[in-house]
Amino acid sequence: SPDPRQREALIKLEASMQLGGALHVHDFAMTSVEWLVKNATYRPHCYMCLTDRQSVRFIFSSQWPKALPQCSPWTLLENLRAKLANVTELDNSNLTIFTDQDPETVYPTQEEIWTTFEQAFLALFGLVTYAPVFRDYYYQGLTEFYTDNVMYLELRALLPEIYELDGSTHDTAWTLKTYQDVTRQFITEHPDFFGTRVIFTVHRAVNTSALTRTVEEAMKLQRDFPDIMAGFDLVGREDSGKPLWYFKDVLSLPAERGVTLPFFFHAGETDLEGTEVDQNMLDALLLNTSRIGHGFALLRHPVAKGLSRKKGVALEDLRNHPAAALMLENHPLVISSDDPAMFGSSGLSYDFYEAFVGFGGIKSTLGSLKELAINSIR
Ligand SMILES: O=c1[nH]cnc2c1ncn2[C@@H]1O[C@H](CO)[C@@H](O)[C@H]1O
């Protein structure tokens, strides 16, 4: 790898060129955690508790909040900070999976890293689902991507219930509408930003009836918000979830009813060769997916690979990825940052840096970067 100065210079260069669209970014990992800690947790009425597994939880409330199971009593952060000698210690409570230790030692297995990853999302949840923070978090995230010269965003979003200080909550349509309103406001202030579209997501741990309700909801949102709704996806750890095929009846509902609901499935984010989930890429293609999230198992699946190339189905993201080999075969690819906040990066230029040095090594040229950027706006 290049020396640190070269690295700095390359990241700066990439931050200064148009990177096109970021097509694979998850809602609650889009904005730097530093912003969340320095801005959100310093707002009034913010309470914190610690779970039995030493993970933090937050809530904003006008009243003293009801205790959470398996969690310490709530403390008002303002009071806690007033008492603490070392505030930074509190501020660095672990809201990411970033580590400055040897990652192989800290995360020896997939199981461990996914547990920590999902705990980090749970830790953020009470902050980012508070209505005023929700809006500002998204606006700040747009700012971070825009600063990196990203001109268009596709957001994988859970569209959870958003709550107010008095405990009242808003529904899914409200959450989507808020994304739309904040995006419009952002465009007014940054007229060269193209916009955001939302891929409504649900955790793959759901059962069939919950998924049916969510797909019904997705079809409705697609009809009511055609400008901002891009489609639908299932998220969470692929290895421990049901394969897409298990849900084939539910996922065929839109086609059966002649309703448009584009799919953007996560698939092939697994090393488990020969298991049921290892079939997800082919099934995603059979279900007419528009792109494949990750797809790093694609090289092991020649039939799926032939099909995705023929249909022009792009793969998103690059970690552990045989992307260089696929690019040589002219397979469409786009670079995206997935969960920049969780990985301790931001925006998109870090990922372009990794792609640049990782794909072509010393032979990388600006031409390959340009192709990746152009793919993302096709
Ligand atoms: O790389 C990924 N693969 C699969 N699921 C993911 C990934 N990154 C984030 N999430 C999922 O998105 C939710 C937040 O919206 C997280 O809870 C996580 O399950």
Side-chain angles (χ1 to χ4, degrees):
S1 68
D3 80 43
R5 268 167 317 166
Q6 254 179 326
R7 182 169 186 273
E8 266 315 274
L10 252 178
I11 292 176
K12 276 210 190 103
L13 169 72
E14 277 150 20
S16 71
M17 59 182 263
Q18 287 295 347
L19 297 186
L23 303 186
H24 187 130
V25 178
H26 289 269
D27 47 4
F28 300 137
M30 78 174 285
T31 307
S32 66
V33 162
E34 194 186 348
W35 179 87
L36 207 50
V37 171
K38 296 228 163 99
N39 183 307
T41 70
Y42 279 86
R43 297 183 189 204
H45 310 289
C46 185
Y47 294 79
M48 193 185 85
C49 71
L50 203 59
T51 70
D52 298 349
R53 298 156 88 178
Q54 306 299 303
S55 174
V56 285
R57 296 292 181 269
F58 298 96
I59 192 169
F60 289 89
S61 179
S62 47
Q63 315 249 307
W64 200 270
K66 230 173 68 202
L68 282 189
Q70 273 125 49
C71 214
S72 68
W74 292 105
T75 26
L76 188 61
L77 264 182
E78 241 172 276
N79 296 347
L80 189 63
R81 282 199 174 106
K83 270 187 273 170
L84 278 184
N86 186 355
V87 188
T88 44
E89 196 175 311
L90 172 69
D91 287 350
N92 290 333
S93 7
N94 224 341
L95 297 174
T96 75
I97 55 168
F98 180 77
T99 173
D100 51 13
Q101 322 270 293
D102 172 26
E104 307 279 337
T105 316
V106 181
Y107 302 120
T109 64
Q110 284 280 320
E111 189 63 37
E112 270 153 299
I113 190 151
W114 269 100
T115 305
T116 312
F117 188 60
E118 292 289 12
Q119 285 297 320
F121 278 107
L122 290 172
L124 302 175
F125 204 72
L127 293 173
V128 294
T129 55
Y130 172 48
V133 175
F134 179 73
R135 286 191 204 91
D136 296 353
Y137 175 90
Y138 174 56
Y139 194 95
Q140 171 66 21
L142 286 180
T143 308
E144 290 177 18
F145 277 87
Y146 179 79
T147 309
D148 254 7
N149 280 313
V150 169
M151 49 189 177
Y152 171 71
L153 188 71
E154 279 189 14
L155 194 65
R156 299 276 201 301
L158 295 166
L159 305 180
E161 275 187 353
I162 301 297
Y163 71 96
E164 300 282 353
L165 204 55
D166 63 5
S168 61
T169 57
H170 302 286
D171 66 5
T172 307
W174 185 93
T175 310
L176 184 59
K177 172 89 176 24
T178 303
Y179 276 127
Q180 188 167 40
D181 294 345
V182 177
T183 308
R184 283 185 182 152
Q185 184 198 338
F186 190 87
I187 294 173
T188 308
E189 282 150 35
H190 309 83
D192 57 335
F193 185 70
F194 280 24
T196 298
R197 296 217 306 154
V198 167
I199 298 168
F200 180 26
T201 62
V202 66
H203 203 283
R204 57 188 348 117
V206 291
N207 60 26
T208 309
S209 57
L211 183 64
T212 310
R213 282 194 301 275
T214 317
V215 169
E216 305 262 6
E217 173 102 67
M219 289 191 275
K220 191 159 172 289
L221 293 173
Q222 191 78 43
R223 191 192 64 210
D224 296 346
F225 299 87
D227 293 342
I228 189 152
M229 257 294 272
F232 185 73
D233 184 17
L234 294 152
V235 297
R237 187 180 174 203
E238 214 177 335
D239 289 346
S240 42
K242 294 269 194 312
L244 286 176
W245 198 244
Y246 175 88
F247 295 122
K248 64 178 182 310
D249 294 340
V250 187
L251 297 174
S252 303
L253 280 179
E256 263 165 34
R257 295 188 195 166
V259 173
T260 310
L261 182 66
F263 292 136
F264 296 86
F265 290 125
H266 273 73
E269 193 185 12
T270 177
D271 281 330
L272 295 182
E273 192 166 356
T275 57
E276 279 192 311
V277 291
D278 197 29
Q279 297 303 318
N280 278 348
M281 280 176 306
L282 192 57
D283 294 334
L285 290 162
L286 294 176
L287 287 162
N288 251 329
T289 200
S290 301
R291 293 193 302 270
I292 289 179
H294 307 285
F296 64 68
L298 194 63
L299 278 191
R300 292 196 268 106
H301 294 266
V303 175
K305 192 178 76 174
L307 201 57
S308 55
R309 191 169 65 176
K310 199 169 115 218
K311 293 175 137 195
V313 171
L315 309 184
E316 309 155 341
D317 197 28
L318 66 106
R319 276 160 299 133
N320 313 330
H321 212 291
L326 290 165
M327 211 166 160
L328 281 177
E329 295 180 3
N330 261 329
H331 197 292
L333 295 168
V334 296
I335 301 298
S336 204
S337 46
D338 205 3
D339 304 284
M342 289 287 159
F343 305 133
S345 72
S346 74
L348 188 60
S349 45
Y350 290 83
D351 298 80
F352 262 81
Y353 164 79
E354 294 285 339
F356 188 71
V357 294
F359 286 12
I362 207 83
K363 286 210 194 107
S364 271
T365 63
L366 287 178
S368 21
L369 290 185
K370 191 170 147 201
E371 181 172 338
L372 291 165
I374 289 173
N375 281 348
S376 73
I377 46 181
R378 273 219 166 101

